[in-house]
Amino acid sequence: ACLAAIAAVPATAVAAGDPEAGKSKSAACSICHGADGKAQIPFYPNLAGQNEVYLLNALKAYRNGERKGSYASMMTPNVAALSDQDLADLAAYYHSLKP
């Protein structure tokens, strides 16, 4: 039954991210998270090598106002206008970087 439920989810439910497209969209992210996904300021999280699905879910939660906490006031405005594809591209890009 569980497999049937998974099989019923449309393939388009999760957009496939393009790391190259994500790189071109990451300029604003690099201010806090570093050009290589490694933050220069200790209290900002490193994104390089992070799990792609985790990043995508976190970005969507910030965009949708579902994620609260110390970074929400900074993250939510930065991702508010991004599409699902933009978020998937960013997640794929940061996942592709060496931690």
Side-chain angles (χ1 to χ4, degrees):
C2 183
L3 290 176
I6 292 170
V9 175
T12 57
V14 177
D18 177 354
E20 285 302 313
K23 181 178 182 178
S24 71
K25 298 172 184 178
S26 69
C29 308
S30 67
I31 296 167
C32 297
H33 299 288
D36 59 357
K38 296 174 186 147
Q40 299 300 310
I41 301 170
F43 54 84
Y44 292 124
N46 292 329
L47 301 181
Q50 182 61 264
N51 180 283
E52 187 172 354
V53 173
Y54 170 80
L55 284 174
L56 179 57
N57 288 335
L59 288 168
K60 284 182 177 181
Y62 279 123
R63 183 190 63 193
N64 298 337
E66 299 164 350
R67 190 159 182 178
K68 308 296 181 193
S70 58
Y71 298 115
S73 64
M74 290 181 285
M75 287 297 301
T76 301
N78 282 301
V79 298
L82 299 179
S83 69
D84 283 350
Q85 187 63 57
D86 292 333
L87 299 181
D89 293 343
L90 287 166
Y93 169 62
Y94 284 110
H95 172 72
S96 75
L97 298 175
K98 184 176 179 166

